Amino acid sequence: MTTRTSTILTHTVCPRCREDKPLTEFSTNPSKKNGHASYCRPCARERLREYRATDIGKLANRVASREYAARNRARNLALREASTTTP
Ligand SMILES: [Zn+2]
């Protein structure tokens, strides 16, 4: 007999370590259908580490950190301006 017990997913199999883990072991990702990342936290961390070790990953990391710095600079500038203009 094949009955669908529940439509609410509480566990999912990580495609990397192939372990059935609770969704709390997965970081949230609103762009995903189930709202969670495909890989469990330890695997996601490993994947990121591996990706950063590659040339393309190093480049992406550099671009991302540069963008982050630029964004922070703009934000800090805005904060400073806001604090100086307020009476
Ligand atoms: Zn995993």
Side-chain angles (χ1 to χ4, degrees), residues 43-63:
C43 286
R45 206 179 309 138
E46 270 297 292
R47 260 171 57 88
L48 189 67
R49 200 181 62 81
E50 281 168 15
Y51 174 65
R52 281 192 181 151
T54 65
D55 282 344
I56 191 96
K58 277 180 202 157
L59 191 73
N61 192 33
R62 209 166 338 162
V63 170

Side-chain angles (χ1 to χ4, degrees), residues 13-86:
V13 178
C14 170
R16 196 172 191 269
C17 59
R18 306 201 181 281
E19 276 178 47
D20 193 1
K21 294 188 172 188
L23 279 179
T24 51
E25 281 294 304
F26 295 76
S27 55
T28 51
N29 189 341
S31 68
K32 294 278 178 186
K33 217 189 286 176
N34 68 357
H36 287 85
S38 335
Y39 298 94
C40 69
R41 286 173 201 270
C43 286
R45 206 179 309 138
E46 270 297 292
R47 260 171 57 88
L48 189 67
R49 200 181 62 81
E50 281 168 15
Y51 174 65
R52 281 192 181 151
T54 65
D55 282 344
I56 191 96
K58 277 180 202 157
L59 191 73
N61 192 33
R62 209 166 338 162
V63 170
S65 54
R66 201 186 301 147
E67 276 174 6
Y68 178 79
R71 211 161 40 228
N72 258 5
R73 208 179 302 135
R75 203 195 57 176
N76 286 343
L77 217 69
L79 280 175
R80 208 172 305 145
E81 271 172 26
S83 63
T84 50
T85 48
T86 43

